[in-house]
Amino acid sequence: SKFHNVKVLDEDGFVVDSKKEAKRGRFLKLELKQGRIAFLARQVEFTFHIEGQKIASYFADYVYRRTDTGELIVEDVKSEATRKLPVYRLKRRMMLAQHKIKIVEV
């Protein structure tokens, strides 16, 4: 991989893009089990439309709701290098503009 990440199988048998993402998934599963988050979904698709036409999609690594505030959290596990990619930066801005969601980068 050009960013030196290694795809791995997580404990549920899903292929994730990096060891860091697998570790974050384990942590979030523990948070779910302990009741700090209400649900946990992975690889959730958000689409972007202009004048009714689908322009692009963004897949969030993890989406969950905090039980203390009810806030919906959209998370992406990123390295410093991948945070700077122009396509990702554009999609991050589009998420805020179209869906009113600020992506949490871990």
Side-chain angles (χ1 to χ4, degrees):
S1 150
K2 68 179 172 181
F3 295 107
H4 306 292
N5 60 310
V6 176
K7 290 189 183 249
V8 295
L9 276 176
D10 70 5
E11 59 191 33
D12 296 324
F14 290 99
V15 175
V16 294
D17 288 334
S18 66
K19 293 176 187 176
K20 182 178 177 182
E21 187 176 334
K23 182 178 177 182
R24 183 64 183 168
R26 285 191 303 274
F27 174 79
L28 290 173
K29 281 183 64 180
L30 182 60
E31 292 286 286
L32 180 64
K33 186 176 181 180
Q34 294 177 346
R36 289 195 262 285
I37 60 177
F39 74 92
L40 177 62
R42 63 178 75 201
Q43 295 301 308
V44 176
E45 181 180 18
F46 292 87
T47 58
F48 306 111
H49 294 83
I50 296 176
E51 297 179 6
Q53 183 176 352
K54 181 180 173 183
I55 302 301
S57 292
Y58 162 72
F59 289 87
D61 289 332
Y62 298 103
V63 176
Y64 55 91
R65 189 170 299 280
R66 291 180 47 163
T67 54
D68 58 347
T69 64
E71 180 183 12
L72 181 72
I73 306 294
V74 175
E75 242 184 46
D76 208 320
V77 179
K78 291 285 184 207
S79 68
E80 286 302 316
T82 58
R83 285 177 196 194
K84 296 175 184 176
L85 292 174
V87 170
Y88 170 70
R89 293 175 60 183
L90 175 63
K91 288 182 179 182
R92 185 179 64 200
R93 290 192 306 271
M94 290 170 66
M95 281 290 288
L96 190 56
Q98 195 164 90
H99 297 290
K100 309 296 186 242
I101 296 172
K102 183 176 182 180
I103 298 170
V104 175
E105 296 170 349
V106 183

